[in-house]
Each structure stands twice: as structure tokens, then as C-alpha cells.
Amino acid sequence: MKSAVETLNPTRVRLTVEVPFEELKDSLDAAYKKINQQVTVKGFRKGKIPARVIDQRFGRGAVLEEAVNDALPKFYTEAVNEAELNVLGQPEVDITELKDNETLNFTAEVDIRPAIEIPDYSGIEVEVDAVEVSDEDVDKAVEELRERFASTSPVERAAEDGDVVTIDLEAKVEGEVLEDGVASGVSYTIGSGELLEGIDDAVKGLEAGGEATFTSELKGGSAAGKESEVTVKVTQVAARELPSLDDDFAQLASEFDTLDELKADSRKRLENMKQYDQATQAQERVLEKLLELVEVPVPEKLLADEIETRKHNLVNHQLGQMGLDLAKYLEIQGKTEEEFDAETKEQAEKGIKTQFVLDELVNKEKLNVNQEELTEHLMRRAQSSGMSPDQFAQAVVEGGQVPMLVGEVARGKALAVVVEAATVKDTNGEVVDLEDDEDETAAAEGEQTEASSEEKTEA
């Protein structure tokens, strides 16, 4: 077999392959054997039909077609390996010449990873938000905790903001009560915004036994997105009572004995959260700076596939679970379809470029992933997926996705190397030491920067 490579552009090549006919012998033998098992010829036992009889009865062309289909993947792979190409996706194959007992010639066009030159990134400088926790932040956190320990008690008066009402609901569309539009004994906090738009105004001012009707667009169910006439009846009004902010509350809501200790712990937690956010912000901004330094051509087909994958996931999974279609989603977001397409393309292109650059960094820095790192990453992914670690690990292995997880960890480590080399200052001009948060945020970044269509191809 002889092969040659022609570069069509930085991300696509054409392989030209010439195969001597004798190298097709194994595939021809396999083709005759397969046809033997599929056909019946009078006078011959099944599987014992001579090759010349198959040629006469069914045609030599059918045998050649079967043999070529069997042989092409092997010869294509040999040509790719010989040229040391890093291919993406499936090739477009064209048989240019097939002469019986002489030769098989074909071409294969395929996308490849572009060659990327990683420049010196040690001069990258970024600014991030300073970690500052005010007394107001602490008070807000404690107040939110206080809200969680609020109690309720029935009152004989009209409902007000903040009250918890027990209600019965009935929704009609075009005058007909929906099968899934009736609910009884629903507990609702006025002002929470957790139910239908317009319900707050409808129930405020009602006492137990009162009812009102209002119009609202349904968020879910069989008539999601449709205007509905909703009747709401209040069966009980209860006032929320917050516990006093004192040491007794601290002992009730936490492991601390005093309110001062609880507030100190809240401050520390807020600082930790802001430090994590700061580290994540640093990684995002360092990554943006790195991408600006590198010229990364993106294969057109890979980009198109990634855009389609992102759209499919949004429409069929995320929006589907919320009972929305794309048109309604765009209306809520205040975007045109053209703006949505442009944003999706930009995000997909950035995702692919990020993966290419970080994978090149993995090779340049000779980064490896050990079992402990992979296990920790798997545990985090399992937690975010809502599955147990064992279930997630089994799904990953059965789906052949272990290389994908290894890639995520490796890319996280590569980005951590760049962040470590960069200068990160906060808005106060202070240099930020990200060492404490580096491992966790790097792993998280590895998940965020995957370009899904490429990883599916590689898997």
C-alpha cells in the first residue's frame, strides 16, 4: 500500500491511497465466506459453494463491493497512522479506481487537529474582584438562616406579604378545566414568586374562605405556555414568625453557643465562597488572555457539529424539562434567533479552541493524570450528576468515556499551570495567591472546557 497526504487547509487533509490487489486477498476470502452463508445454490451444500459459482450466479461485482467495504477502514487507518495524523470525525471516502485483479485506489478527506504554537504565557496579567465581606453581607447571611427557622401560626385576618397561605387552585384554558390543572392544599408564601405570575395580587387581601380569579401563563403541564384563567381559594392564612436574634437562636440553628460565634463562622464561610469565586474568575480571565495569544483554526464541520449538539441539548433536555420551546425561551431572554445563533456559535468556537489549546499544553508540559486525580474528578462529576460514584463509574466505563474524563482532568491541570505562571491582582492592587484553591478550581475548569462533539468522536 502507498499513501500520500495533501494539506487542503490548516484543519483538513486529503489522503490518496493505492492498494495492490493482492492485499485485498483476506477481504475477498471473507467476502466469499459471508456470501456463502447468505445464499443457497441447488447442488451445493450451504457454505460450500465454489467462488467461481458465486461469481457466475451473483456477479464478481458484488464480491468486490463486499471486499472493498471490509478493507477500506483498515487501509484508511494504516494511511492515517503512517502519516501520523490526529484526525477528527469520519472521513469522506471516494473510490477513484477499482480494477479487478489489478488495483484499488481511493481518496479520503478528513478534518485534523491544527498545529498550534503555544507562546510564552508567563507575562499574562489579569485583575479579579477583591475578597471583601462586609457586616451587611454577614447580616444578610444570618437573616437567611433565620428565615429557614421561621415558624407559622394561623391568623384570622386578610393575607399580607410574607404570609403563608394554604390554597386550592383550578386552571381553565378556553373555558375547560385542565385534567392536570387542579390542586388542593398547596402551601404558598406570598411574595416568593414560586407559583404563577399574578397570584400574589390575587391572594393578598383575602381571608380564609375567600377566592379570586386571575389570568396567567402556565409554566408547565399539558398546557404550558398557554394563557389560563385560574381560580384560587384561600383555606388558611398563617403568619410567619422569625426567631429572635440571640444566643438561643445560635444554639438552635448551629453548633455554636453564641450569636457572635455564629456570625464569625458566617463571615468565614462567605470569605471562603468569595475566594473560590475569585479563583474561578482568575482562571476564566487567564484562559481568555491565553486564547488571545494563540492562533487556533477551527474545522468547519467540527464547529457545525458542536453548534448542533449545543442546540439539541438546550431544546431537548434543558428547555424540555421546563416545558418550554426555543421560541418561548428566546422571548423570555429577549433575544432574536439570529442573536441566539451568533452566541451559540461564539460559545462553541471558544469551547473547541479551549480544548485544542489546553490539550497542546498537556503535551508541551508533559502532564499526566494519576489514579487518585481521576478518582477525585469522578467523585465530583458523580455528585453533580446526582448519581452515586459507583453508578457514575459504571456508566462511564460502559459508555467508553474514561478517556474523556482523563482529558478533563489533564486540561484542568494544564490551565492551572498557566494560572500559576500568570500575575493575578485584585481590584485593590494586591497580588492574589491562588495556591489553596488551585486544585479544586482547576478540576472544575476541566469540566467546563470540554468541546463535546470532539470528545464524542474520540470516544
Side-chain angles (χ1 to χ4, degrees):
M1 184 195 81
K2 293 192 302 182
S3 64
V5 181
E6 176 188 358
T7 300
L8 303 178
N9 61 49
T11 63
R12 193 165 180 85
V13 297
R14 179 188 291 123
L15 287 163
T16 301
V17 184
E18 299 179 9
V19 183
F21 206 82
E22 55 267 22
E23 294 188 29
L24 283 172
K25 182 180 183 308
D26 290 344
S27 294
L28 280 169
D29 291 344
Y32 279 117
K33 185 175 181 181
K34 182 176 180 180
I35 294 173
N36 241 307
Q37 299 299 323
Q38 294 174 339
V39 301
T40 301
V41 176
K42 189 175 181 180
F44 296 95
R45 286 183 297 165
K46 196 173 186 68
K48 300 295 183 181
I49 307 170
R52 58 180 177 77
V53 175
I54 291 177
D55 288 346
Q56 291 169 357
R57 290 291 187 94
F58 307 101
R60 174 73 167 175
V63 179
L64 287 175
E65 181 179 356
E66 182 68 38
V68 169
N69 288 339
D70 175 74
L72 274 179
K74 181 185 71 171
F75 292 126
Y76 165 73
T77 301
E78 288 180 6
V80 166
N81 292 338
E82 186 178 283
E84 298 182 344
L85 298 176
N86 197 338
V87 299
L88 302 169
Q90 298 300 316
E92 295 178 6
V93 177
D94 181 26
I95 298 173
T96 55
E97 186 176 21
L98 175 59
K99 290 185 178 179
D100 197 1
N101 292 313
E102 291 186 28
T103 188
L104 163 66
N105 297 337
F106 69 91
T107 61
E109 289 191 17
V110 66
D111 287 331
I112 60 169
R113 276 180 177 265
I116 298 174
E117 187 68 33
I118 302 294
D120 179 18
Y121 47 78
S122 60
I124 291 178
E125 294 186 10
V126 297
E127 184 180 74
V128 295
D129 295 335
V131 174
E132 296 175 342
V133 178
S134 66
D135 292 342
E136 289 75 15
D137 294 330
V138 175
D139 291 341
K140 181 180 178 183
V142 173
E143 189 63 25
E144 289 174 353
L145 182 62
R146 188 182 176 209
E147 290 278 348
R148 288 167 50 192
F149 283 85
S151 60
T152 59
S153 58
V155 292
E156 295 182 4
R157 60 166 172 77
E160 302 172 354
D161 269 327
D163 285 344
V164 178
V165 289
T166 304
I167 54 177
D168 298 335
L169 295 166
E170 181 183 83
K172 293 180 181 179
V173 173
E174 298 178 353
E176 297 291 328
V177 177
L178 300 171
E179 289 186 10
D180 55 353
V182 178
S184 300
V186 178
S187 181
Y188 175 66
T189 301
I190 300 175
S192 66
E194 294 174 351
L195 283 179
L196 299 168
E197 185 176 345
I199 194 170
D200 288 340
D201 291 336
V203 297
K204 277 192 294 187
L206 295 181
E207 298 183 15
E211 66 177 56
T213 300
F214 63 100
T215 301
S216 183
E217 184 179 297
L218 298 178
K219 295 181 180 180
S222 60
K226 293 185 178 180
E227 288 291 323
S228 172
E229 183 182 86
V230 182
T231 299
V232 55
K233 181 178 180 180
V234 176
T235 59
Q236 184 185 78
V237 179
R240 298 178 74 248
E241 297 177 0
L242 298 175
S244 300
L245 276 179
D246 52 24
D247 292 346
D248 289 339
F249 168 69
Q251 295 167 21
L252 170 68
S254 70
E255 70 271 27
F256 301 105
D257 293 326
T258 68
L259 184 61
D260 288 342
E261 290 175 331
L262 174 59
K263 287 185 174 182
D265 180 71
S266 296
R267 183 179 296 275
K268 182 63 178 175
R269 289 175 184 271
L270 290 171
E271 288 174 351
N272 289 341
M273 289 172 59
K274 291 199 172 188
Q275 285 171 352
Y276 178 83
D277 291 342
Q278 186 188 64
T280 302
Q281 189 180 65
Q283 288 195 320
E284 292 172 350
R285 295 183 178 179
V286 167
L287 177 60
E288 290 173 1
K289 290 282 189 178
L290 177 63
L291 293 180
E292 291 174 5
L293 296 176
V294 187
E295 185 69 30
V296 186
V298 176
E300 291 182 7
K301 187 176 185 306
L302 181 63
L303 178 59
D305 289 346
E306 176 66 10
I307 292 172
E308 183 59 33
T309 297
R310 288 172 182 256
K311 281 187 177 180
H312 177 84
N313 289 340
L314 174 66
V315 173
N316 294 281
H317 298 294
Q318 300 172 40
L319 298 184
Q321 291 176 356
M322 295 186 289
L324 298 175
D325 58 16
L326 183 59
K328 188 61 182 176
Y329 169 76
L330 294 178
E331 181 184 333
I332 294 172
Q333 294 291 315
K335 297 177 184 176
T336 65
E337 190 166 351
E338 290 74 19
E339 290 172 334
F340 169 75
D341 287 341
E343 287 182 9
T344 303
K345 180 180 179 181
E346 182 181 355
Q347 293 164 0
E349 194 165 13
K350 181 181 178 182
I352 294 172
K353 286 182 176 181
T354 297
Q355 181 163 339
F356 283 172
V357 170
L358 294 184
D359 283 347
E360 185 62 31
L361 265 168
V362 169
N363 295 329
K364 179 180 179 180
E365 303 292 345
K366 297 180 172 56
L367 301 175
N368 296 310
V369 176
N370 60 42
Q371 186 62 47
E372 182 180 356
E373 292 168 333
L374 182 59
T375 300
E376 289 177 357
H377 184 64
L378 186 147
M379 298 282 282
R380 281 191 293 268
R381 289 293 303 272
Q383 186 176 17
S384 64
S385 70
M387 301 170 66
S388 72
D390 288 343
Q391 289 174 326
F392 187 79
Q394 182 178 354
V396 166
V397 173
E398 290 178 353
Q401 300 297 299
V402 174
M404 182 188 75
L405 288 188
V406 172
E408 290 176 3
V409 178
R411 285 188 286 276
K413 293 179 71 173
L415 183 54
V417 169
V418 183
V419 173
E420 185 179 356
T423 299
V424 180
K425 294 183 179 180
D426 65 19
T427 48
N428 294 328
E430 299 292 330
V431 175
V432 178
D433 182 6
L434 299 170
E435 185 176 352
D436 292 340
D437 304 296
E438 195 171 86
D439 292 340
E440 187 173 358
T441 51
E445 184 65 33
E447 297 171 27
Q448 296 168 2
T449 56
E450 65 181 279
S452 61
S453 63
E454 183 193 356
E455 288 174 341
K456 290 175 184 174
T457 299
E458 292 178 340

